Amino acid sequence: MFAYRLTPQQAFDLLVWRSQESNVKLYALAAAIEARISDVDLPSEARSSFDRIVHGAHEDVQRR
């Protein structure tokens, strides 16, 4: 969802499409993608941005 800026429904639809196109069960496809995600190495700048998001998200919730 993050990489393509998709809504949850759009991400699911993409997985369904890829599952059907490749004739691979949806669960197996999602598991394979999840396993490969751990191999992605984010640049330190991107990791720092995620750190700021994770550490500051509670402030957004508290403001509501």
Side-chain angles (χ1 to χ4, degrees):
M1 288 172 53
F2 175 76
Y4 294 116
R5 296 189 176 263
L6 300 175
T7 65
Q9 185 61 54
Q10 290 171 322
F12 180 73
D13 292 343
L14 177 64
L15 286 175
V16 168
W17 168 78
R18 194 66 199 121
S19 169
Q20 292 173 345
E21 286 291 313
S22 59
N23 197 29
V24 172
K25 297 259 184 210
L26 182 63
Y27 179 83
L29 180 64
I33 291 170
E34 180 184 22
R36 285 183 175 213
I37 290 291
S38 65
D39 294 336
V40 174
D41 187 29
L42 292 175
S44 61
E45 185 176 311
R47 191 169 289 116
S48 293
S49 293
F50 279 112
D51 286 345
R52 284 192 297 277
I53 291 168
V54 169
H55 289 282
H58 68 283
E59 294 169 356
D60 297 336
V61 174
Q62 291 172 343
R63 286 187 196 125
R64 293 182 182 164

